[in-house]
Amino acid sequence: MTTSWEPNARQLRSFYQLIANHFLIVITLPLVTTIIIAIWPGADKILVLPLAIRPVHLFLATFVPTATITVYLILRPRDVYLVNYACFRPDSNWRMPLASYIEHARLMHFNDKHISQFVARVLERSGFGNETSVPPSFHYMLPLFGLDKTRLEAEQVIFRTIDDLLSKTCISPHAIDMLIVNCSIFNPTPSLADMIVRRYRLRGDIHSIQLSGMGCSAGLIAVGLATSLLQTAPFGAHALVVSTELFTGGYYKGSKLAMHMTNILFRTGGAAVLLSTSKAKARFQLMHVVRTSTSAQDNAYKSVIYEEDEEGNRGVNLSKDIMAIAGKALKANITTIGPLVLPASEKLSYFLSLIARKMLSGRTTLYIPDFRLAFDHFCIHAGGRAVIDAVQSSLNLSDEHVEPSRMTLHRFGNTSSSTLWYELAYSEAKGRIKKGGRVWMIGFGSGYKCISAVWKCIKPVQDVDRAWENCINRYPVHIPKGKKV
Ligand SMILES: *[C@@H]1O[C@H](CO)[C@@H](O)[C@H](O)[C@H]1NC(C)=O
Ligand SMILES: CC(=O)N[C@H]1CO[C@H](CO)[C@@H](O)[C@@H]1O
């Protein structure tokens, strides 16, 4: 196993740079402390008492620890907090009942029965309810692909979500120092980030970034990026992360079944998240972000790919091995996150079983750590029912643990990178997240990538997010077990 604790040349150089940059403070702070102690009235008495103590000893005894603590404080990465978040609730006329979707597929592909049958089969087992929504342009037959329509949708989804967030946090748009927008398929010029800067008249010196082509895991990638930026910015800076997917341009109109999957499961959604290094108004603390990319392997790289079929129709092609690939990425990341979060007893059990396995040359089964001891709540990317089922069985989670994910899938469908926030909002709307509660968000996405984020609740809320406001009382609903999709 490689450990990240071995310092390499680069780390040593940046350590040296840090010390050099903070030279004044590293030297003066301990020096001043030492002097204050030395000239303190009565200090001479202490000096006289044990004769062995000479001023030089006293100097060392105070200077060295203070210098160490100062260096530690400088090097320690700053804590990052979640101030608040908001999820998009589509208008009721964006709703796409399953029967309408199937009807559309039947009419659009009237000369190929297989497609509408496939659509019906997938939807039947999808775990979707009748309230999931698609943008207005999707309601046409064929859907409208125009840039102006998609821009309009982008504005509706993004602005409404940010408006909600700003009213929840009571933060002025001028306090935002960084803006990261992620949207995989739709990447216009000027970017979605510019669109937001224009609408809210954000500051001229804002760091604005748009992440595209990063798939469903981009929401947590954006959180990770915002965290790194915040840790280098002055204390108390704010980062706004907007996660959405505008799939209109990616709609597949050909006849290849595998490429219809994403059409069928994609639904509209979005989330806006405000992060900061100041704890003042914070609701959650970010404990860890861990990422795994398996893109170096060919089959993982090609598992979710936006491409053209033989007839030149563009669409997202989902590989048949997608679940196996997701499982591998998850396993890799669990091995990394385990040591960071698990209690000592679980780590020990795992370690012992690992030794037993080595000594008996693989004849015993490896102990699966009980992640329920490390987390109270789980938000699993609701890309489809199969993803949730696979994570539930591999982590040995109860039905209640995966309830937020299943209910999000039922109410909102696969909203790509924003699903995790709908799930957090669900658990909060149900009043389940208490102070100190730990939440594990697990995102998956093309590449293939698996990204985890761990949050600790600081301040639970009573008010329900707009997304769940008018329907939370109807949940949880029973989802009939069909064959998995
Ligand atoms: C969910 O939607 C995203 C974005 O449209 C897509 O890339 C992804 O493949 C979908 N997931 C599944 C399992 O269809
Ligand atoms: C096996 C593997 O790829 N594990 C990775 C999981 O994520 C961490 C943190 O990013 C990586 O350091 C590991 O290599």
Side-chain angles (χ1 to χ4, degrees):
M1 220 169 104
T2 60
T3 74
S4 52
W5 291 105
E6 270 172 74
N8 53 29
R10 225 183 45 223
Q11 282 170 337
L12 278 180
R13 202 171 63 223
S14 64
F15 176 81
Y16 160 76
Q17 275 170 352
L18 254 170
I19 298 295
N21 292 345
H22 296 89
F23 184 73
L24 220 57
I25 195 159
V26 172
I27 293 302
T28 42
L29 196 69
L31 211 58
V32 169
T33 323
T34 316
I35 291 171
I36 290 176
I37 291 181
I39 61 172
W40 198 259
D44 42 347
K45 284 192 206 100
I46 304 173
L47 291 183
V48 170
L49 272 178
L51 283 173
I53 295 183
R54 294 205 210 113
V56 63
H57 290 153
L58 184 75
F59 176 78
L60 285 179
T62 49
F63 182 84
V64 174
T66 329
T68 318
I69 291 171
T70 317
V71 168
Y72 168 76
L73 288 178
I74 292 170
L75 289 183
R76 194 183 54 132
R78 271 193 210 130
D79 288 335
V80 171
Y81 300 92
L82 171 70
V83 182
N84 217 331
Y85 63 96
C87 302
F88 174 69
R89 186 177 85 204
D91 285 340
S92 53
N93 60 348
W94 289 30
R95 195 170 78 97
M96 179 59 107
L98 302 189
S100 313
Y101 198 100
I102 297 168
E103 176 88 349
H104 272 219
R106 204 165 52 75
L107 294 172
M108 271 193 278
H109 303 280
F110 59 89
N111 52 2
D112 189 348
K113 270 210 321 277
H114 289 109
I115 296 179
S116 57
Q117 283 167 356
F118 178 73
V119 169
R121 221 165 44 235
V122 172
L123 281 180
E124 222 167 72
R125 301 160 185 168
S126 62
F128 282 23
N130 277 315
E131 281 184 301
T132 61
S133 304
V134 292
S137 56
F138 254 61
H139 287 263
Y140 290 87
M141 245 183 289
L142 290 165
L144 298 176
F145 299 117
L147 272 181
D148 51 341
K149 284 271 182 314
T150 319
R151 258 210 193 95
L152 192 72
E153 275 158 33
E155 290 181 357
Q156 283 172 310
V157 174
I158 294 175
F159 295 165
R160 245 193 272 168
T161 317
I162 296 181
D163 287 346
D164 270 356
L165 178 69
L166 291 179
S167 74
K168 268 188 188 180
T169 53
C170 301
I171 269 184
S172 142
H174 279 269
I176 298 171
D177 305 272
M178 293 146 203
L179 167 67
I180 306 177
V181 186
N182 71 271
C183 178
S184 214
I185 302 276
F186 183 58
N187 47 353
T189 305
S191 69
L192 296 173
D194 297 320
M195 201 176 85
I196 298 172
V197 172
R198 171 174 175 242
R199 156 81 184 217
Y200 294 94
R201 306 275 177 244
L202 299 183
R203 289 204 323 255
D205 62 346
I206 191 162
H207 293 269
S208 62
I209 298 166
Q210 174 167 345
L211 303 177
S212 283
M214 300 294 277
C216 300
S217 53
L220 291 185
I221 293 180
V223 167
L225 177 60
T227 303
S228 309
L229 289 175
L230 281 172
Q231 283 170 339
T232 60
F235 176 78
H238 288 96
L240 173 63
V241 173
V242 178
S243 299
T244 187
E245 189 55 61
L246 300 149
F247 192 64
T248 314
Y251 186 86
Y252 176 68
K253 46 187 195 307
S255 56
K256 225 170 143 178
L257 295 185
M259 294 177 77
H260 270 281
M261 273 305 264
T262 299
N263 277 1
I264 305 173
L265 297 181
F266 168 74
R267 294 295 184 268
T268 198
V273 179
L274 191 69
L275 301 166
S276 175
T277 37
S278 154
K279 197 180 177 179
K281 289 180 166 182
R283 303 208 25 239
F284 287 85
Q285 183 181 353
L286 180 62
M287 309 303 288
H288 306 282
V289 183
V290 169
R291 24 164 117 196
T292 312
S293 172
T294 55
S295 317
Q297 291 144 30
D298 286 348
N299 62 344
Y301 172 76
K302 289 184 188 150
S303 62
V304 184
I305 188 161
Y306 185 49
E307 61 178 12
E308 281 160 349
D309 66 7
E310 293 77 18
E311 286 142 28
N313 297 306
R314 283 193 190 172
V316 175
N317 199 348
L318 277 194
S319 143
K320 285 215 161 49
D321 324 323
I322 181 97
M323 285 324 301
I325 289 163
K328 247 191 188 162
L330 175 68
K331 206 163 151 197
N333 225 261
I334 286 179
T335 7
T336 322
I337 205 161
L340 297 175
V341 295
L342 284 171
S345 59
E346 289 298 296
K347 277 191 267 192
L348 191 67
S349 308
Y350 177 77
F351 183 64
L352 291 179
S353 91
L354 199 66
I355 292 181
R357 199 176 149 90
K358 279 263 151 60
M359 294 204 322
L360 299 172
S361 36
R363 265 172 287 143
T364 59
T365 51
L366 207 56
Y367 176 76
I368 302 173
D370 189 352
F371 277 93
R372 293 168 301 182
L373 296 175
F375 301 106
D376 310 295
H377 307 278
F378 296 82
C379 300
I380 303 154
H381 169 55
R385 192 167 174 172
V387 181
I388 304 174
D389 288 342
V391 176
Q392 177 174 18
S393 74
S394 68
L395 295 182
N396 223 344
L397 302 179
S398 70
D399 285 338
E400 185 164 336
H401 285 134
V402 295
E403 184 188 308
S405 307
R406 291 201 194 282
M407 297 310 129
T408 299
L409 196 64
H410 183 270
R411 172 63 184 85
F412 295 98
N414 167 18
T415 61
S416 191
S417 56
S418 57
T419 57
L420 300 170
W421 298 104
Y422 285 95
E423 293 165 22
L424 184 62
Y426 178 88
S427 300
E428 289 211 276
K430 285 283 178 200
R432 292 186 189 156
I433 299 191
K434 304 277 181 303
K435 190 173 168 174
R438 293 150 306 168
V439 183
W440 185 8
M441 285 186 172
I442 310 173
F444 294 101
S446 57
Y448 201 87
K449 299 183 280 289
C450 171
I451 316 224
S452 298
V454 181
W455 303 92
K456 194 167 101 189
C457 178
I458 299 174
K459 210 185 315 158
V461 280
Q462 267 75 48
D463 48 340
V464 176
D465 187 84
R466 230 176 87 81
W468 290 101
E469 204 173 51
N470 62 355
C471 61
I472 190 70
N473 295 330
R474 280 185 273 134
Y475 284 93
V477 293
H478 173 70
I479 295 170
K481 285 207 163 63
K483 205 171 150 273
K484 290 164 197 165
V485 176

